[in-house]
Amino acid sequence: LVLANVQAFRARKISMDFSESFWIGMIMVCILQALVLGIPILIIVDNNIVAEFFLWSGLIFVVSMAVLGLLFLPKMLAVRHRQARSASAITDGTNSSEPPQSVAISSDNIMEDGNRCITGTF
């Protein structure tokens, strides 16, 4: 856990496209919370097999979901956001990285199925 914190600190200045140090830090906080709460309860329920099994199952689930969720959920949201941005740029006839250019939509540009066809310089 200490080495992971050191590596996350060293990688804090990597560009945001590849930086996961914030999320790795959040994962480590979740694991620490699970251990701080789980270990004393495991000691308390040492004689109760059913409670111990339930607690171990819960700890494994929480730690696994923290790792998977906090690593992959931000990436999935970023991809969805990027796709929505590019889709809106396509429907607007613009590219988000370029300034808007001339686009003409007229009654001549209506296709057979009723959808409009965008013409212009891109």
Side-chain angles (χ1 to χ4, degrees), residues 3 12 23 27 32 39 53-54 58 66-67 70 77 81 88 91 95 101 115 122:
L3 290 175
R12 71 187 184 282
W23 297 111
I27 290 168
L32 182 65
I39 290 174
F53 175 77
F54 180 75
V67 170
L70 290 174
L77 293 176
H81 178 67
S88 68
T91 57
N95 188 346
Q101 298 182 11
N115 292 327
F122 295 102

Side-chain angles (χ1 to χ4, degrees), residues 1-119:
L1 202 57
V2 173
L3 290 175
N5 281 321
V6 169
Q7 289 299 325
F9 179 76
R10 287 183 182 172
R12 71 187 184 282
K13 294 183 182 180
I14 295 176
S15 70
M16 288 308 290
D17 289 341
F18 302 108
S19 177
E20 295 178 346
S21 61
F22 173 76
W23 297 111
I24 291 173
M26 294 301 294
I27 290 168
M28 289 187 293
V29 167
C30 288
I31 292 171
L32 182 65
Q33 284 179 340
L35 292 177
V36 166
L37 292 174
I39 290 174
I41 297 173
L42 276 172
I43 293 170
I44 293 171
V45 297
D46 189 33
N47 295 331
N48 190 344
I49 304 277
V50 175
E52 187 175 354
F53 175 77
F54 180 75
L55 188 60
W56 273 114
S57 300
L59 284 173
I60 291 170
F61 177 78
V62 166
V63 169
S64 299
M65 291 308 293
V67 170
L68 293 174
L70 290 174
L71 272 182
F72 292 115
L73 191 62
K75 289 173 182 47
M76 291 189 303
L77 293 176
V79 168
R80 180 178 286 177
H81 178 67
R82 192 173 297 148
Q83 287 174 346
R85 191 173 34 181
S86 66
S88 68
I90 290 171
T91 57
D92 293 343
T94 61
N95 188 346
S96 60
S97 63
E98 299 176 3
Q101 298 182 11
S102 64
V103 176
I105 299 176
S106 67
S107 61
D108 298 336
N109 298 345
I110 298 178
M111 298 187 324
E112 293 176 7
D113 59 356
N115 292 327
R116 292 186 179 199
C117 176
I118 299 174
T119 61

